[in-house]
Amino acid sequence: MSLQQLIDQIEDIDSINDFVSIKKCINDSYDWLKSSFEHLAVNQLVTGRATFVDAVLSHLWELSGLDQYDDIALCAVGGYGRGHLQPYSDIDLLFVSKKLLPQPVQDKVSQFITLLWDIKLDVGQSVRTIKETVKLAKEDISIATNLVESRLLCGNEQVFDAMWEAVNNNHVWTSRAFFKAKYDEQLSRHAKFHGTAYNLEPNIKENPGCLRDIQTIGWVAKKHFKEYDGWNLVGHGYFTEQEHSELITCRMHLWRIRCALHLVAGRSENRLLFDYQADVAELLGYGKESKPAVEEMMRDFFRIVRQVSELNSMLLKRFRYELLDHNVSQTKQVNDKFCLLDGMISPLSDNVFTSPEDILDFLDTVANTPDVDGLDTDCIRQLRNARRKFVGQYFVEREACRPRMIKLLKQPHFFDFGWDIMHKYGILQSYLPEWDAIVGMMQFDLFHAYTVDEHTHRLVKNVNRYHSKDNTEFPRCKRIVRNADKPELLYIAAIFHDIAKGRNGDHSLLGAVDVLKFCETHEIAKADSQLISWLVENHLLMSMVAQRRDIYDHEVINEFATAVRTHKHLELLYALTLADIRATNDNLWNDWKASLLKELYLMTKKALDNGLQCRDTLNDRIDLHRETALRYLQNHNIEEHAIATLWERLEEDYFIRFSPEQIAWHTEQIILAQNDLLQSNPEAILVKASDESAKGGTEILIYGKDRKALFAQVASVIDSRNCSIHDAHITVTADGYVFDSLIVLENDGTRLTAASRIRNLEAAITEQLLKPGRAHSNNRKISRRMRQLDVPTKIRFFGAGDDATLVELEALDAPGILAKIGHAFVDCGVVLKLAKIATIGERAEDIFIVCNDEGEALSPEQQITLKKRILFKLDQLEDINIS
């Protein structure tokens, strides 16, 4: 069926009550969109849908009798006003009249709107007088914007013209005020996406560099020039023909993605979620192999959004300074090629970038001009044109470019703003083929929030923040980088740390080879090259040890310190690791990770000071922790005999693992309970929560006679309250008492801050442990995003001495996973001694140190039995419904 046949079909309907025929026509229109997607240009689809809806509204207007009233007009506003409609986009309508409509007409309008909803058109409607419309347009920039491109659908043309003139004159919004409001609105919108277009689940409409940014360019120009055809704006000097064509091409590409997304989702969905990406890619013709198809689609998408972002920045600046007669308040010549106009660097001639060397010299100028805070329109335009002119040869292949690049990397001030320019305008992509390969590269997990290049850009900016005089957040890292005699070593390692992602092989090892080649080409000293390469190869080592190993085991510290070798390696790795984690995902960094890395850093530093005598290092720690905790307890009048009696029941490992503050809190709470709760009821379990004892999160202390499945029950309660366990130390004393310490955070990685929430969690655990049996009902559902990801379950066993076995688990982080594992331990007669819980996006990567009920390491037969039981338990989680 063609578009014209659809229109003829709707016009053949002769009764407003013929719902069946009207609905059939609406459904046929969706079939037309789906069947036409592959062979019609997308602009024909979005304008065709608007044309069809125009015909539906006009015909129903007549059938309803509204054409009999002279004082009302039906207007299309917003995107529909532009004559564009995506398959499931809202249809924004304005019913406008000169004065308040008589009640019979109001009733007719209400019946008409109800009819539109009944036939499943998603309309957004307003019924106003001209006076009301003008008043609301003055008060709300969104309403004023919707009316800029309004058009008449049905009704009185004079009413529409009067409304349009009233809302679009300078008494409502001047060009200057309108521009400022839209610009501020764009800044606010961009901030919601953390200022980047490189999100892995972008919003095709609202994301920086997407459709809304193109619309903003048009809105401010149309408001100012009263021109509604983009080609006419070329004549006003707003942009060149090439730039206008580029905008149209970008819009068509984004329209096509959005159209496919609507058709795949079957509703108005603008977020390109993981759920839809493979199907959208296939519909767009990228192929049926989901991962390669999505990667190719997203690379094209990110190329488009960079173009739009550049054009948006360039054109809005031009509009502000040239077309609104914004007076430049300050001009300062920088050198013979550039000057500053109100802090924006501007070229002094029409062709300042005649070679790649000129571009790198320009970045050096930026690095040495601290007053620069932006590029003016002409600078952006020349930079874009030069980048395209030099396509075909990477800058690194030009010998004269290499010393210029090293000069930039040696200047921390280059990374203040020059690095942003290098990344945003594709200069590093033009310089280095390895970087070109990772631009727009997807990362298919919930751990990373950004593409590979955007993540690395943010990591480098985090390193640069260590140099800031105003930065007080990471004083240790600040000291490390400010004392470094060669800051470029850390920056180069940061740039190359993920550069080999997407290749077949370990990206850390491949990246280490890449950076050695870079160092050799750029004549970096051999010793420095080897240090940089080591950092790239081992950039994950410190976070892996901190989060997945028992850092209070002297053998673990010895192994890590041996790998690190020197204080310089340790310090640079520590600074790189912090910057890396904080650049991965805005919700990933928390106090618990900070405390783990700090502990590992300090203990390794002390071990290196002691010549790798790690046992001596930990013995010193035991003595210090006991003495400090004892002083605190004495000051709180805790009986020394009771303290000594309790501490005699605990192994030395306890005093290594916990801080003096925690030891003192544990001791005080247990002794008080022994004199009260446990004395009156020996079978009771002490449950106490504190937000002050542990630096990294809320600590939950559990003490009492041991019982089966206690950890499983507690884990289930915590999970059901949308909290997560990040560390668990499980001790069973020789006389059969369990002594557990759990570190708990919110599921998003933040601390539990509300005292009432902490008390409620404490009460919920206590209530569960008072119940008979060992089960707890957890009704928390797995999220939509998690359901889309395939995470195979992996279970590995490693020796941890004669008396323990280390169990390493990787699995989907489904609700209730820890409880299921805890029950599997009980079923197999396995005793849990230590748990380190790490959630890496959608993956649970957990470490458990266990023994059998005889206090020995698991035999091969026991390992096989435990693995089968864990897999059986985790299979039960697959039936959970999506939330």
Side-chain angles (χ1 to χ4, degrees):
M1 181 175 289
S2 67
L3 176 61
Q4 187 57 53
Q5 287 173 320
L6 283 172
I7 293 172
D8 292 342
Q9 183 180 341
I10 195 70
E11 290 179 349
D12 286 341
I13 296 171
D14 56 10
S15 171
I16 196 74
N17 297 317
D18 189 357
F19 275 23
V20 173
S21 296
I22 298 173
K23 284 184 177 180
K24 181 182 183 303
C25 194
I26 300 297
N27 291 333
D28 288 346
S29 73
Y30 289 116
D31 291 338
W32 171 75
L33 288 166
K34 293 171 185 175
S35 62
S36 302
F37 184 82
E38 292 185 9
H39 63 269
L40 284 184
V42 70
N43 61 313
Q44 292 177 279
L45 296 178
V46 296
T47 57
R49 171 153 170 75
T51 300
F52 168 73
V53 173
D54 287 355
V56 171
L57 294 174
S58 297
H59 190 60
L60 296 182
W61 182 269
E62 291 181 12
L63 292 180
S64 66
L66 281 168
D67 61 329
Q68 303 300 312
Y69 300 98
D70 292 333
D71 197 30
I72 186 172
L74 175 61
C75 316
V77 297
Y80 182 38
R82 292 190 297 275
H84 305 150
L85 266 183
Q86 291 285 348
Y88 292 96
S89 289
D90 290 348
I91 300 163
D92 293 325
L93 302 174
L94 170 64
F95 298 80
V96 64
S97 57
K98 286 184 179 179
K99 56 186 178 180
L100 188 65
L101 294 171
Q103 191 60 49
V105 183
Q106 291 185 41
D107 293 341
K108 281 279 188 183
V109 169
S110 294
Q111 292 167 9
F112 182 77
I113 294 170
T114 300
L115 170 65
L116 299 182
W117 281 105
D118 287 343
I119 62 174
K120 305 303 180 185
L121 287 181
D122 290 332
V123 296
Q125 76 289 332
S126 302
V127 183
R128 304 178 187 134
T129 64
I130 295 175
K131 184 176 181 181
E132 289 170 337
T133 303
V134 172
K135 179 178 181 297
L136 289 170
K138 284 182 178 180
E139 296 171 352
D140 191 326
I141 185 62
S142 296
I143 294 175
T145 304
N146 277 342
L147 294 168
V148 166
E149 296 169 310
S150 57
R151 61 189 176 90
L152 178 66
L153 293 172
C154 318
N156 192 308
E157 186 174 352
Q158 287 73 32
V159 170
F160 170 78
D161 290 342
M163 181 276 297
W164 197 95
E165 290 294 336
V167 298
N168 283 291
N169 66 51
N170 284 336
H171 296 295
V172 177
W173 285 91
T174 64
S175 290
R176 190 182 303 277
F178 186 82
F179 171 84
K180 184 179 186 309
K182 296 309 294 182
Y183 188 71
D184 290 346
E185 183 182 78
Q186 177 172 290
L187 291 176
S188 177
R189 174 169 51 81
H190 285 188
K192 294 178 182 177
F193 297 92
H194 308 292
T196 180
Y198 294 90
N199 297 292
L200 298 184
E201 290 188 306
N203 186 309
I204 305 301
K205 184 178 178 182
E206 303 288 343
N207 214 77
C210 286
L211 288 167
R212 192 66 85 198
D213 279 11
I214 297 176
Q215 291 162 358
T216 298
I217 294 169
W219 284 327
V220 297
K222 291 171 182 178
K223 172 69 177 173
H224 183 72
F225 294 114
K226 302 294 189 292
E227 293 278 9
Y228 298 93
D229 185 331
W231 282 111
N232 294 337
L233 295 173
V234 174
H236 290 278
Y238 185 43
F239 38 52
T240 66
E241 284 190 21
Q242 180 185 357
E243 288 160 357
H244 178 258
S245 296
E246 189 176 348
L247 274 174
I248 296 300
T249 300
C250 291
R251 186 182 68 177
M252 291 277 281
H253 191 101
L254 294 173
W255 267 0
R256 190 161 176 80
I257 295 176
R258 190 181 178 201
C259 187
L261 177 58
H262 276 212
L263 294 176
V264 166
R267 59 188 175 87
S268 180
E269 175 60 81
N270 297 312
R271 299 165 301 164
L272 191 53
L273 303 174
F274 290 141
D275 314 34
Y276 305 127
Q277 287 176 2
D279 291 335
V280 169
E282 183 178 348
L283 186 56
L284 290 171
Y286 286 96
K288 295 184 178 182
E289 294 185 29
S290 59
K291 189 173 180 180
V294 170
E295 285 180 334
E296 187 179 353
M297 174 183 72
M298 296 306 293
R299 287 210 177 196
D300 285 348
F301 167 77
F302 290 125
R303 175 179 54 82
I304 291 295
V305 298
R306 186 178 74 183
Q307 288 178 259
V308 173
S309 294
E310 291 175 352
L311 289 166
N312 176 275
S313 175
M314 181 178 75
L315 295 173
L316 292 187
K317 284 179 180 179
R318 170 167 169 71
F319 188 86
R320 178 187 177 193
Y321 277 89
E322 297 183 29
L323 302 181
L324 288 181
D325 299 322
H326 181 89
N327 295 320
V328 176
S329 60
Q330 186 176 16
T331 304
K332 174 184 175 183
Q333 185 158 341
V334 176
N335 54 29
D336 60 347
K337 287 189 173 183
F338 298 97
C339 67
L340 283 182
L341 305 177
D342 286 346
M344 291 195 297
I345 196 161
S346 178
L348 292 172
S349 64
D350 292 337
N351 190 17
V352 295
F353 302 118
T354 60
S355 69
E357 289 81 4
D358 287 337
I359 295 177
L360 297 178
D361 288 341
F362 162 69
L363 293 176
D364 183 60
T365 299
V366 170
N368 288 285
T369 310
D371 298 337
V372 174
D373 57 17
L375 312 184
D376 82 338
T377 296
D378 194 27
C379 192
I380 296 173
R381 180 172 281 146
Q382 288 198 39
L383 195 57
R384 296 178 82 240
N385 292 338
R387 185 187 68 214
R388 292 172 179 178
K389 183 170 64 177
F390 303 137
V391 167
Q393 181 187 33
Y394 290 105
F395 296 179
V396 70
E397 297 170 7
R398 299 169 66 99
E399 189 173 346
C401 285
R402 297 171 200 158
R404 287 173 165 84
M405 173 60 82
I406 292 300
K407 183 181 179 183
L408 292 174
L409 299 178
K410 287 182 176 181
Q411 302 177 70
H413 285 305
F414 160 69
F415 295 96
D416 294 341
F417 182 53
W419 169 253
D420 296 331
I421 298 171
M422 180 174 268
H423 172 61
K424 183 176 181 180
Y425 294 100
I427 299 170
L428 188 56
Q429 183 179 1
S430 297
Y431 187 90
L432 203 60
E434 293 86 356
W435 185 271
D436 190 15
I438 63 168
V439 170
M441 179 179 285
M442 290 288 287
Q443 305 194 71
F444 293 91
D445 55 45
L446 301 184
F447 178 61
H448 294 89
Y450 308 106
T451 57
V452 177
D453 58 320
E454 177 63 19
H455 159 68
T456 303
H457 169 248
R458 288 169 174 263
L459 188 162
V460 171
K461 295 299 288 185
N462 285 340
V463 172
N464 183 237
R465 289 189 188 97
Y466 297 149
H467 286 276
S468 172
K469 294 180 180 179
D470 301 327
N471 181 19
T472 59
E473 190 177 5
F474 299 100
R476 187 171 289 102
C477 290
K478 183 174 182 177
R479 174 186 57 76
I480 290 170
V481 298
R482 291 175 73 87
N483 290 340
D485 56 345
K486 296 180 179 179
E488 68 272 17
L489 305 187
L490 185 56
Y491 280 114
I492 295 172
I495 291 169
F496 276 84
H497 85 292
D498 273 355
I499 207 159
K501 278 196 169 179
R503 303 186 210 165
N504 293 325
D506 185 329
H507 77 278
S508 300
L509 295 174
L510 295 172
V513 174
D514 287 345
V515 80
L516 275 178
K517 177 185 172 184
F518 175 88
C519 291
E520 181 181 354
T521 303
H522 291 77
E523 299 181 349
I524 295 173
K526 185 176 181 181
D528 293 337
S529 301
Q530 289 174 342
L531 174 56
I532 297 169
S533 180
W534 182 89
L535 286 169
V536 172
E537 182 176 342
N538 294 278
H539 72 272
L540 297 173
L541 176 64
M542 193 169 195
S543 61
M544 294 290 286
V545 172
Q547 296 181 66
R548 302 186 65 183
R549 301 290 300 277
D550 181 5
I551 63 173
Y552 302 105
D553 183 329
H554 70 92
E555 292 183 358
V556 171
I557 296 298
N558 183 73
E559 181 184 328
F560 179 67
T562 301
V564 169
R565 299 197 301 273
T566 72
H567 287 81
K568 186 173 185 178
H569 284 71
L570 174 65
E571 291 187 337
L572 292 179
L573 182 61
Y574 179 64
L576 180 63
T577 301
L578 261 67
D580 189 11
I581 295 175
R582 292 171 55 237
T584 300
N585 186 316
D586 292 315
N587 297 322
L588 194 61
W589 182 254
N590 55 43
D591 291 343
W592 177 239
K593 286 187 174 65
S595 67
L596 285 176
L597 289 168
K598 178 184 174 183
E599 282 278 88
L600 178 57
Y601 169 81
L602 292 175
M603 288 194 292
T604 306
K605 186 174 184 294
K606 188 72 178 292
L608 292 171
D609 291 340
N610 290 345
L612 296 184
Q613 298 299 311
C614 297
R615 185 70 252 181
D616 293 344
T617 298
L618 296 180
N619 287 338
D620 292 342
R621 184 182 178 93
I622 292 170
D623 294 340
L624 175 62
H625 285 192
R626 288 176 71 110
E627 292 169 7
T628 307
L630 184 59
R631 283 196 301 271
Y632 174 91
L633 291 165
Q634 288 170 337
N635 291 336
H636 284 72
N637 300 316
I638 305 299
E639 185 182 345
E640 287 193 38
H641 176 70
I643 297 171
T645 301
L646 175 61
W647 285 4
E648 285 174 1
R649 298 164 60 203
L650 303 173
E651 297 178 356
E652 285 187 341
D653 174 71
Y654 169 78
F655 297 96
I656 296 172
R657 185 175 306 283
F658 294 102
S659 68
E661 293 79 11
Q662 288 175 287
I663 294 169
W665 181 67
H666 298 163
T667 304
E668 183 175 11
Q669 294 301 320
I670 291 171
I671 290 174
L672 291 175
Q674 287 173 335
N675 296 332
D676 183 14
L677 173 68
L678 300 179
Q679 189 174 49
S680 60
N681 181 9
E683 300 300 321
I685 298 285
L686 168 68
V687 179
K688 282 290 181 182
S690 172
D691 193 40
E692 299 177 355
S693 61
K695 295 179 180 179
T698 298
E699 182 176 15
I700 297 177
L701 170 66
I702 299 172
Y703 178 81
K705 282 194 173 181
D706 192 19
R707 62 174 69 174
K708 289 186 180 297
L710 186 146
F711 175 77
Q713 291 179 75
V714 172
S716 183
V717 172
I718 291 171
D719 183 76
S720 70
R721 296 302 176 108
N722 291 311
C723 297
S724 57
I725 299 172
H726 281 248
D727 192 74
H729 180 62
I730 314 295
T731 300
V732 179
T733 63
D735 53 351
Y737 276 76
V738 66
F739 183 170
D740 295 353
S741 170
L742 315 177
I743 301 298
V744 175
L745 298 172
E746 299 282 7
N747 271 342
D748 63 2
T750 59
R751 296 179 70 111
L752 282 69
T753 53
S756 59
R757 179 147 170 74
I758 295 171
R759 298 282 79 81
N760 288 340
L761 182 60
E762 182 184 283
I765 296 171
T766 302
E767 180 183 353
Q768 173 61 32
L769 296 182
L770 289 173
K771 294 178 180 178
R774 69 182 212 182
H776 172 263
S777 178
N778 181 1
N779 296 318
R780 192 166 72 86
K781 307 297 183 184
I782 193 168
S783 70
R784 166 201 60 79
R785 297 179 78 194
M786 298 279 279
R787 270 289 181 181
Q788 304 304 314
L789 299 163
D790 180 24
V791 180
T793 300
K794 299 178 183 178
I795 302 170
R796 307 179 187 92
F797 296 89
F798 301 92
D802 295 335
D803 61 349
T805 298
L806 187 148
V807 183
E808 182 180 87
L809 170 78
E810 291 184 25
L812 182 70
D813 185 36
I817 184 172
L818 280 182
K820 292 292 185 184
I821 294 168
H823 283 300
F825 289 156
V826 173
D827 295 345
C828 296
V830 169
V831 178
L832 175 63
K833 300 175 71 173
L834 175 71
K836 289 185 74 66
I837 313 303
T839 302
I840 313 298
E842 73 283 1
R843 298 194 319 276
E845 296 191 356
D846 303 338
I847 300 294
F848 306 96
I849 295 180
V850 301
C851 63
N852 60 28
D853 54 11
E854 296 176 354
E856 299 172 344
L858 303 186
S859 67
E861 294 77 13
Q862 289 171 328
Q863 292 177 15
I864 293 171
T865 300
L866 178 59
K867 182 175 182 178
K868 289 180 178 178
R869 191 62 182 170
I870 292 174
L871 291 173
F872 172 76
K873 288 288 187 180
L874 296 189
D875 284 344
Q876 296 175 347
L877 295 173
E878 294 183 0
D879 297 329
I880 298 174
N881 294 325
I882 301 174
S883 59

